[in-house]
Amino acid sequence: MTRNGIRATYLGVALLALAMPPRTMAEDGIYVGVAVVGAQYGTAYDKTVDNTLANNASMLFAGQRLDSNDSTNGITYDAGVVFGLRGSLGVLYYGIEVDWTTHQGNVSGHLEGAGTTPLRNQVGENWPEDWELAKDKSYGLTLRIGTEMPFADATGYVLAGVRRVEAGFTRSYTGCLLPGEICGPTQFQTASESFDENFDAFVLGVGMEQPLAGVVLRGELRYVAHGSTSQLVLFDDLGVRVSTSLEATEVGLGISVLWTL
Protein backbone atom coordinates (compact mmCIF):
# COMPACT_ATOMS: atom_id res chain seq x y z
CA MET A 1 0.00 0.00 0.00
CA THR A 2 1.28 3.51 -0.88
CA ARG A 3 1.64 6.37 1.59
CA ASN A 4 -1.41 8.03 -0.02
CA GLY A 5 -3.36 4.82 0.51
CA ILE A 6 -2.32 4.71 4.16
CA ARG A 7 -3.37 8.33 4.68
CA ALA A 8 -6.72 7.60 3.01
CA THR A 9 -7.29 4.63 5.35
CA TYR A 10 -6.61 6.73 8.45
CA LEU A 11 -8.83 9.53 7.14
CA GLY A 12 -11.65 7.07 6.45
CA VAL A 13 -11.48 5.71 10.01
CA ALA A 14 -11.52 9.23 11.44
CA LEU A 15 -14.50 10.34 9.32
CA LEU A 16 -16.42 7.19 10.25
CA ALA A 17 -15.74 7.81 13.92
CA LEU A 18 -16.87 11.46 13.72
CA ALA A 19 -20.14 10.35 12.17
CA MET A 20 -20.92 8.10 15.13
CA PRO A 21 -22.75 9.38 18.23
CA PRO A 22 -20.43 9.90 21.24
CA ARG A 23 -20.05 6.70 23.23
CA THR A 24 -17.34 5.18 25.41
CA MET A 25 -15.79 1.78 25.66
CA ALA A 26 -17.85 1.18 28.80
CA GLU A 27 -20.50 0.08 26.34
CA ASP A 28 -19.79 -3.34 24.91
CA GLY A 29 -19.58 -3.59 21.18
CA ILE A 30 -17.47 -3.06 18.09
CA TYR A 31 -14.86 -0.32 17.94
CA VAL A 32 -12.31 1.14 15.54
CA GLY A 33 -9.25 3.23 16.19
CA VAL A 34 -5.82 4.48 15.23
CA ALA A 35 -2.59 3.72 17.07
CA VAL A 36 0.98 5.02 17.13
CA VAL A 37 3.90 3.23 18.80
CA GLY A 38 7.52 4.09 19.53
CA ALA A 39 9.73 1.06 20.14
CA GLN A 40 13.26 0.08 21.13
CA TYR A 41 14.09 -2.53 18.48
CA GLY A 42 16.94 -4.98 19.12
CA THR A 43 18.41 -7.45 16.64
CA ALA A 44 21.10 -10.14 16.84
CA TYR A 45 22.80 -11.24 13.61
CA ASP A 46 24.84 -14.45 13.26
CA LYS A 47 26.80 -15.62 10.20
CA THR A 48 28.64 -18.90 9.61
CA VAL A 49 30.92 -19.55 6.62
CA ASP A 50 31.18 -23.29 5.96
CA ASN A 51 34.23 -24.51 4.03
CA THR A 52 33.65 -28.23 4.61
CA LEU A 53 32.17 -28.99 1.17
CA ALA A 54 34.23 -31.33 -1.00
CA ASN A 55 34.66 -28.74 -3.78
CA ASN A 56 35.74 -25.93 -1.46
CA ALA A 57 38.12 -23.57 -3.31
CA SER A 58 39.64 -21.79 -0.32
CA MET A 59 43.43 -21.96 -0.07
CA LEU A 60 43.42 -20.86 3.57
CA PHE A 61 40.24 -22.12 5.24
CA ALA A 62 39.32 -25.45 3.62
CA GLY A 63 37.61 -27.76 6.11
CA GLN A 64 36.84 -24.93 8.57
CA ARG A 65 33.67 -23.25 9.77
CA LEU A 66 34.07 -19.61 10.75
CA ASP A 67 31.46 -17.92 12.95
CA SER A 68 30.81 -14.24 13.61
CA ASN A 69 27.96 -12.30 15.21
CA ASP A 70 26.77 -8.77 15.90
CA SER A 71 23.89 -7.13 17.76
CA THR A 72 22.46 -3.63 17.87
CA ASN A 73 19.44 -1.56 18.90
CA GLY A 74 17.46 1.20 17.23
CA ILE A 75 14.30 3.24 17.56
CA THR A 76 11.33 2.53 15.29
CA TYR A 77 7.95 4.23 14.89
CA ASP A 78 4.72 2.47 14.00
CA ALA A 79 1.26 3.66 12.95
CA GLY A 80 -1.79 1.50 12.35
CA VAL A 81 -5.52 1.02 12.35
CA VAL A 82 -7.38 -1.31 14.72
CA PHE A 83 -10.77 -3.04 14.69
CA GLY A 84 -12.07 -4.84 17.76
CA LEU A 85 -14.91 -6.25 19.82
CA ARG A 86 -15.37 -5.64 23.53
CA GLY A 87 -17.58 -7.63 25.95
CA SER A 88 -18.13 -8.07 29.69
CA LEU A 89 -17.73 -11.02 32.04
CA GLY A 90 -19.03 -9.75 35.38
CA VAL A 91 -16.44 -7.34 36.79
CA LEU A 92 -14.03 -8.23 33.98
CA TYR A 93 -14.09 -7.15 30.39
CA TYR A 94 -12.45 -8.75 27.37
CA GLY A 95 -11.39 -7.37 24.03
CA ILE A 96 -10.52 -9.16 20.80
CA GLU A 97 -8.72 -6.95 18.28
CA VAL A 98 -7.10 -7.15 14.86
CA ASP A 99 -4.76 -4.49 13.50
CA TRP A 100 -2.73 -3.52 10.47
CA THR A 101 0.45 -1.51 11.06
CA THR A 102 3.16 0.18 9.02
CA HIS A 103 6.68 0.80 10.38
CA GLN A 104 9.38 3.43 10.03
CA GLY A 105 12.98 3.09 11.19
CA ASN A 106 15.52 0.28 11.18
CA VAL A 107 18.47 -1.24 12.97
CA SER A 108 21.90 -1.41 11.34
CA GLY A 109 25.28 -2.73 12.35
CA HIS A 110 28.72 -3.82 11.26
CA LEU A 111 29.79 -7.46 11.46
CA GLU A 112 33.51 -7.72 12.15
CA GLY A 113 33.85 -11.13 10.49
CA ALA A 114 36.31 -13.89 11.39
CA GLY A 115 39.49 -15.37 9.94
CA THR A 116 42.85 -16.76 10.96
CA THR A 117 45.16 -14.73 8.72
CA PRO A 118 46.07 -11.05 8.22
CA LEU A 119 45.26 -11.53 4.51
CA ARG A 120 41.74 -10.27 5.03
CA ASN A 121 38.65 -10.95 2.90
CA GLN A 122 39.95 -14.09 1.18
CA VAL A 123 37.86 -16.97 -0.20
CA GLY A 124 36.37 -18.90 2.71
CA GLU A 125 36.84 -16.17 5.29
CA ASN A 126 33.89 -14.77 7.23
CA TRP A 127 34.03 -11.31 5.66
CA PRO A 128 33.12 -8.10 7.48
CA GLU A 129 29.66 -6.82 6.55
CA ASP A 130 27.45 -3.78 6.89
CA TRP A 131 23.90 -4.93 7.49
CA GLU A 132 20.44 -3.49 8.10
CA LEU A 133 17.04 -4.84 9.16
CA ALA A 134 13.95 -2.69 8.55
CA LYS A 135 10.40 -3.57 9.56
CA ASP A 136 7.94 -2.91 6.73
CA LYS A 137 4.43 -3.84 7.83
CA SER A 138 2.70 -6.20 10.22
CA TYR A 139 -0.71 -7.44 11.22
CA GLY A 140 -1.83 -9.05 14.45
CA LEU A 141 -4.50 -10.52 16.67
CA THR A 142 -4.62 -9.41 20.33
CA LEU A 143 -6.67 -10.53 23.34
CA ARG A 144 -7.12 -8.16 26.32
CA ILE A 145 -8.60 -8.92 29.73
CA GLY A 146 -9.09 -6.14 32.27
CA THR A 147 -11.15 -4.56 35.01
CA GLU A 148 -12.09 -1.13 36.28
CA MET A 149 -9.36 0.72 38.17
CA PRO A 150 -10.19 2.50 41.46
CA PHE A 151 -9.42 5.97 40.06
CA ALA A 152 -10.17 8.29 37.15
CA ASP A 153 -12.85 6.02 35.63
CA ALA A 154 -10.04 4.10 33.93
CA THR A 155 -9.70 0.45 33.01
CA GLY A 156 -6.49 -1.57 33.37
CA TYR A 157 -5.74 -4.75 31.46
CA VAL A 158 -3.20 -7.33 30.41
CA LEU A 159 -2.78 -8.50 26.84
CA ALA A 160 -1.37 -11.32 24.74
CA GLY A 161 -1.27 -11.68 21.00
CA VAL A 162 0.39 -12.94 17.85
CA ARG A 163 1.80 -10.93 14.95
CA ARG A 164 3.13 -11.49 11.46
CA VAL A 165 5.97 -9.03 10.84
CA GLU A 166 7.32 -8.47 7.34
CA ALA A 167 10.79 -6.93 7.14
CA GLY A 168 13.63 -6.34 4.71
CA PHE A 169 17.24 -7.40 5.39
CA THR A 170 20.22 -6.11 3.41
CA ARG A 171 23.93 -6.77 3.73
CA SER A 172 26.98 -5.59 1.79
CA TYR A 173 30.53 -6.90 1.77
CA THR A 174 33.87 -6.78 -0.04
CA GLY A 175 36.02 -9.85 -0.64
CA CYS A 176 37.81 -12.26 -2.94
CA LEU A 177 35.61 -14.31 -5.28
CA LEU A 178 38.40 -15.97 -7.29
CA PRO A 179 38.61 -19.73 -6.65
CA GLY A 180 41.99 -21.14 -5.67
CA GLU A 181 43.72 -17.76 -5.41
CA ILE A 182 45.05 -15.35 -2.80
CA CYS A 183 43.64 -11.95 -3.76
CA GLY A 184 45.18 -8.53 -3.39
CA PRO A 185 43.05 -5.48 -2.57
CA THR A 186 42.60 -4.57 -6.24
CA GLN A 187 41.04 -7.98 -6.91
CA PHE A 188 38.35 -7.67 -4.23
CA GLN A 189 34.75 -7.37 -5.38
CA THR A 190 31.95 -5.54 -3.61
CA ALA A 191 28.43 -6.97 -3.53
CA SER A 192 25.15 -6.61 -1.68
CA GLU A 193 22.22 -8.93 -1.03
CA SER A 194 18.62 -8.28 -0.01
CA PHE A 195 16.14 -10.68 1.58
CA ASP A 196 12.48 -10.53 2.56
CA GLU A 197 12.20 -11.71 6.16
CA ASN A 198 8.98 -12.82 7.87
CA PHE A 199 8.75 -13.12 11.64
CA ASP A 200 6.00 -14.93 13.59
CA ALA A 201 5.96 -12.79 16.72
CA PHE A 202 4.40 -13.20 20.17
CA VAL A 203 3.21 -10.18 22.16
CA LEU A 204 2.73 -9.56 25.91
CA GLY A 205 1.85 -6.30 27.62
CA VAL A 206 -0.18 -4.15 29.98
CA GLY A 207 -2.24 -1.04 29.39
CA MET A 208 -4.89 1.39 30.55
CA GLU A 209 -7.94 2.90 28.85
CA GLN A 210 -9.53 6.24 29.79
CA PRO A 211 -12.81 7.64 28.34
CA LEU A 212 -12.45 11.27 27.28
CA ALA A 213 -14.86 13.49 25.33
CA GLY A 214 -16.65 10.72 23.47
CA VAL A 215 -13.52 8.69 22.67
CA VAL A 216 -11.28 6.35 24.62
CA LEU A 217 -7.58 6.99 25.02
CA ARG A 218 -5.35 3.96 25.43
CA GLY A 219 -1.79 3.80 26.72
CA GLU A 220 0.05 0.52 26.37
CA LEU A 221 3.43 -1.05 27.08
CA ARG A 222 4.24 -4.10 24.94
CA TYR A 223 7.03 -6.63 24.63
CA VAL A 224 7.25 -8.30 21.21
CA ALA A 225 9.39 -11.41 20.69
CA HIS A 226 9.83 -11.66 16.93
CA GLY A 227 11.53 -15.03 16.98
CA SER A 228 14.17 -15.79 14.35
CA THR A 229 14.63 -16.23 10.61
CA SER A 230 17.48 -17.78 8.64
CA GLN A 231 18.99 -17.75 5.17
CA LEU A 232 21.40 -20.06 3.34
CA VAL A 233 23.50 -18.85 0.39
CA LEU A 234 25.68 -21.25 -1.60
CA PHE A 235 28.61 -19.92 -3.65
CA ASP A 236 28.72 -22.83 -6.11
CA ASP A 237 31.96 -21.88 -7.88
CA LEU A 238 33.78 -21.53 -4.55
CA GLY A 239 32.26 -24.47 -2.68
CA VAL A 240 31.41 -22.12 0.20
CA ARG A 241 28.13 -22.21 2.10
CA VAL A 242 27.07 -19.11 4.10
CA SER A 243 24.26 -19.43 6.65
CA THR A 244 22.84 -16.45 8.53
CA SER A 245 20.21 -15.97 11.20
CA LEU A 246 18.41 -12.96 12.66
CA GLU A 247 16.66 -12.75 16.02
CA ALA A 248 14.70 -9.64 17.01
CA THR A 249 12.78 -8.30 20.00
CA GLU A 250 11.25 -4.95 20.84
CA VAL A 251 9.76 -3.01 23.74
CA GLY A 252 7.20 -0.44 22.65
CA LEU A 253 5.05 2.29 24.17
CA GLY A 254 1.85 2.99 22.27
CA ILE A 255 -1.03 5.47 22.32
CA SER A 256 -4.38 4.79 20.66
CA VAL A 257 -7.63 6.68 20.10
CA LEU A 258 -10.71 4.43 19.92
CA TRP A 259 -14.34 4.97 18.90
CA THR A 260 -17.21 2.62 19.61
CA LEU A 261 -19.53 2.07 16.61
Side-chain angles (χ1 to χ4, degrees):
M1 181 179 290
T2 65
R3 291 184 183 275
N4 288 336
I6 294 170
R7 294 191 187 101
T9 300
Y10 293 160
L11 179 60
V13 171
L15 292 176
L16 178 62
L18 290 174
M20 297 295 118
R23 302 171 69 188
T24 72
M25 288 291 287
E27 300 176 64
D28 298 345
I30 296 173
Y31 64 89
V32 296
V34 293
V36 293
V37 179
Q40 177 79 18
Y41 188 39
T43 303
Y45 174 43
D46 293 281
K47 183 177 77 167
T48 299
V49 177
D50 184 359
N51 295 290
T52 61
L53 298 179
N55 64 331
N56 181 258
S58 170
M59 297 184 64
L60 301 173
F61 305 101
Q64 299 182 42
R65 289 188 177 92
L66 302 177
D67 300 311
S68 185
N69 58 77
D70 186 34
S71 61
T72 189
N73 295 282
I75 301 296
T76 61
Y77 302 94
D78 313 332
V81 293
V82 303
F83 180 83
L85 172 67
R86 174 184 170 125
S88 299
L89 295 170
V91 297
L92 299 178
Y93 86 88
Y94 65 89
I96 301 173
E97 181 179 289
V98 295
D99 71 87
W100 181 87
T101 301
T102 62
H103 306 273
Q104 296 291 326
N106 58 63
V107 293
S108 59
H110 178 74
L111 188 79
E112 290 295 338
T116 58
T117 171
L119 299 173
R120 302 287 294 185
N121 296 34
Q122 299 300 317
V123 172
E125 184 177 350
N126 195 323
W127 299 336
E129 289 184 359
D130 292 319
W131 62 275
E132 177 183 280
L133 179 67
K135 292 182 292 182
D136 179 20
K137 58 182 177 290
S138 65
Y139 42 93
L141 173 67
T142 304
L143 172 65
R144 294 175 174 84
I145 298 178
T147 189
E148 295 295 324
M149 302 180 71
F151 58 86
D153 192 30
T155 302
Y157 60 84
V158 297
L159 67 93
V162 292
R163 300 196 65 76
R164 180 72 167 181
V165 182
E166 299 178 4
F169 176 67
T170 59
R171 63 187 188 188
S172 59
Y173 49 81
T174 298
C176 179
L177 293 172
L178 301 178
E181 292 192 25
I182 302 295
C183 290
T186 60
Q187 296 173 293
F188 291 158
Q189 300 179 47
T190 298
S192 63
E193 297 171 340
S194 298
F195 303 94
D196 294 326
E197 305 287 357
N198 295 304
F199 295 92
D200 294 317
F202 182 71
V203 186
L204 293 173
V206 295
M208 184 175 71
E209 293 176 351
Q210 172 71 59
L212 180 65
V215 301
V216 170
L217 298 181
R218 172 192 288 169
E220 195 165 88
L221 180 66
R222 298 188 301 174
Y223 171 76
V224 185
H226 289 239
S228 62
T229 64
S230 61
Q231 296 283 351
L232 178 64
V233 177
L234 179 61
F235 292 86
D236 294 312
D237 294 341
L238 304 176
V240 176
R241 185 164 45 196
V242 179
S243 59
T244 60
S245 66
L246 291 160
E247 186 170 348
T249 61
E250 65 180 273
V251 177
L253 181 62
I255 299 175
S256 304
V257 180
L258 310 173
W259 297 267
T260 301
L261 302 182

